[in-house]
Amino acid sequence: MGTYAAALAITLGVLMPAFAIGRIGSKAVESMARQPEAASKIQLSMILACAFAEGLGIFSFVIAILLSSK
């Protein structure tokens, strides 16, 4: 049971941040095209949001390791 839970945790933990980062990037490029003067602020926000999404991915990896060790 623990192995299946770990597999589910790592699967969702990799897919969801990947979709989030793709959406963040697409919306950031779209908004930079609409307002080029705000590109530096948009880029900073985009990098911060991507870091948070990656943090959730790493957190799910740690949870998967803990679940598989039991």
Side-chain angles (χ1 to χ4, degrees):
M1 179 71 176
T3 306
Y4 293 121
L8 180 65
I10 197 63
T11 301
L12 291 177
V14 169
L15 287 178
M16 291 303 139
F19 286 129
I21 290 170
R23 185 154 170 92
I24 289 166
S26 114
K27 293 298 179 177
V29 170
E30 181 181 322
S31 59
M32 282 183 213
R34 290 184 183 179
Q35 288 184 321
E37 66 275 359
S40 64
K41 289 183 180 181
I42 294 168
Q43 186 178 14
L44 178 65
S45 298
M46 179 187 68
I47 291 172
L48 189 61
C50 288
F52 287 140
E54 279 296 318
L56 289 174
I58 292 169
F59 179 69
S60 69
F61 179 67
V62 170
I63 295 298
I65 289 174
L66 291 175
L67 286 173
S68 67
S69 67
K70 290 186 176 187

